[in-house]
Amino acid sequence: MVDTVPAAEILSMVEDLNSDIFQTAATIADGLFSRDYELANTIMEHGEHWLGINLAHLLYSARHRDPDSRSLIIQTVIQAALTQTSLDVTLLWDAALNGSSLDYTYQKIRATFSQSVGARWRVLTRANTKYVDPSIVEKAALARIVSILSIVLSISGWMGGVTSNWDSYRQTVETQFQPDLEQIVKDVVTLDRAMGEGLVSMDAELVVIGGGALFDASFMENAFGDDDRRVSQSSEGDGSAAIVGCTCDLGLQIKEGDREGGGVRTRLLLKPKVVLWSALLDAPQTDTERL
């Protein structure tokens, strides 16, 4: 078997997906968000589950920030949510995106047999399980993205948040942003199929850095560049104590080789972009804010 989609093309697909996520998040964050609204406990619990406690509460407290700072936080969290959800879609091997044991099976095969054997199994399995009917994956991916985005927007106060009917709110979110969200789903599914079925000489994996990790410039990129004001410095002043808040742009790495060929080698093709906590906490706030 030979590659039908080269690694360079997959890299381009990841960059396109990152661009569409950024544009969608920026458009949504530029909308109207209430400052005085009540947040149901169940919505915050879901937010804590999907975003993490710190990010969910920072998002809710952003209602006390000035407009530009609030917009920055909302956009960042939307990017983080869409980025993580995109990764999840590529990791799951079943069409309904509920999870299965096939990934575990593949990892066992990958560790035991040659790259060519593992790749052949991966290509045939994914084509005949997850992507027998691509529309099923697309529908499940859209539903997952809409649900998580609805949680983020409700915590943010979009349209006053969820007042009583969650299903109605979720439907409004889907209707309002459907073209952009469908484009993201299309990007993710195309990328997923390229990595799972088109690339056989190596394995390609998306990379997301979890919140709370230490910033490592060799493996990730600070979304705000070299702005020292936004980077937490360690006591030695070398920046090693900078804490990641979330990932806003997906990274890409490839794994080449196998046990017979001297071991698997990992190579980073695209560093994930991260937003540091110092950048999120640096936004101006009112005296009434409580984190």
Side-chain angles (χ1 to χ4, degrees):
M1 300 181 70
V2 297
D3 294 339
T4 57
V5 182
E9 188 172 336
I10 290 177
L11 173 59
S12 179
M13 292 178 184
V14 176
E15 292 174 334
D16 288 343
L17 172 58
N18 283 333
S19 177
D20 284 338
I21 287 176
F22 172 82
Q23 294 295 338
T24 298
T27 297
I28 296 174
D30 196 39
L32 297 176
F33 291 83
S34 302
R35 288 191 178 273
D36 184 16
Y37 58 98
E38 294 185 8
L39 183 65
N41 290 335
T42 54
I43 298 297
M44 180 55 80
E45 289 171 1
H46 286 303
E48 292 173 350
H49 172 75
W50 289 106
L51 303 173
I53 293 176
N54 291 335
L55 206 58
H57 284 266
L58 178 66
L59 181 63
Y60 183 51
S61 69
R63 69 194 190 279
H64 297 300
R65 305 294 180 104
D66 68 58
D68 289 342
S69 299
R70 187 186 192 191
S71 180
L72 170 65
I73 292 173
I74 292 173
Q75 178 178 336
T76 299
V77 177
I78 292 173
Q79 282 185 254
L82 295 178
T83 295
Q84 180 63 54
T85 308
S86 297
L87 170 65
D88 292 343
V89 171
T90 67
L91 292 177
L92 296 169
W93 282 57
D94 63 306
L97 304 181
N98 292 320
S100 72
S101 61
L102 290 175
D103 177 57
Y104 174 77
T105 302
Y106 175 63
Q107 297 305 325
K108 293 285 289 185
I109 292 173
R110 186 72 175 83
T112 306
F113 298 97
S114 66
Q115 167 70 31
S116 60
V117 171
R120 181 180 294 273
W121 187 91
R122 162 167 54 84
V123 170
L124 294 175
T125 300
R126 288 174 70 91
N128 289 281
T129 54
K130 185 174 185 177
Y131 284 107
V132 170
D133 184 352
S135 66
I136 297 177
V137 181
E138 293 169 357
K139 182 178 179 180
L142 181 61
R144 180 178 285 241
I145 286 176
V146 169
S147 292
I148 296 173
L149 179 60
S150 297
I151 292 169
V152 172
L153 293 184
S154 184
I155 295 174
S156 305
W158 185 74
M159 291 187 62
V162 177
T163 55
S164 59
N165 192 320
W166 164 254
D167 290 335
S168 177
Y169 187 85
R170 184 187 175 285
Q171 184 59 53
T172 300
V173 170
E174 180 173 357
T175 301
Q176 185 75 21
F177 306 113
Q178 188 167 4
D180 291 332
L181 300 182
E182 287 181 343
Q183 181 60 53
I184 290 174
V185 168
K186 180 181 179 181
D187 290 347
V188 173
V189 169
T190 301
L191 173 62
D192 188 32
R193 299 203 72 176
M195 293 193 300
E197 301 172 36
L199 188 67
V200 296
S201 63
M202 60 191 75
D203 287 271
E205 300 175 346
L206 298 179
V207 182
V208 167
I209 307 299
L214 289 177
F215 179 76
D216 181 353
S218 67
F219 194 69
M220 60 193 79
E221 180 180 341
N222 176 13
F224 292 100
D226 296 324
D227 186 348
D228 292 336
R229 185 173 62 88
R230 295 187 180 277
V231 179
S232 299
Q233 299 294 321
S234 68
S235 57
E236 292 77 23
D238 61 2
S240 61
I243 304 298
V244 172
C246 60
T247 297
C248 61
D249 271 24
L250 292 157
L252 178 68
Q253 65 182 15
I254 58 172
K255 293 184 177 180
E256 304 171 279
D258 50 44
R259 189 178 64 176
E260 297 176 2
V264 177
R265 300 171 297 280
T266 301
R267 183 157 55 97
L268 189 65
L269 297 184
L270 179 66
K271 292 181 181 180
K273 284 186 180 181
V274 299
V275 177
L276 304 179
W277 269 116
S278 54
L280 296 172
L281 296 176
D282 193 39
Q285 52 188 307
T286 68
D287 294 336
T288 60
E289 179 177 15
R290 297 291 183 269
L291 288 178

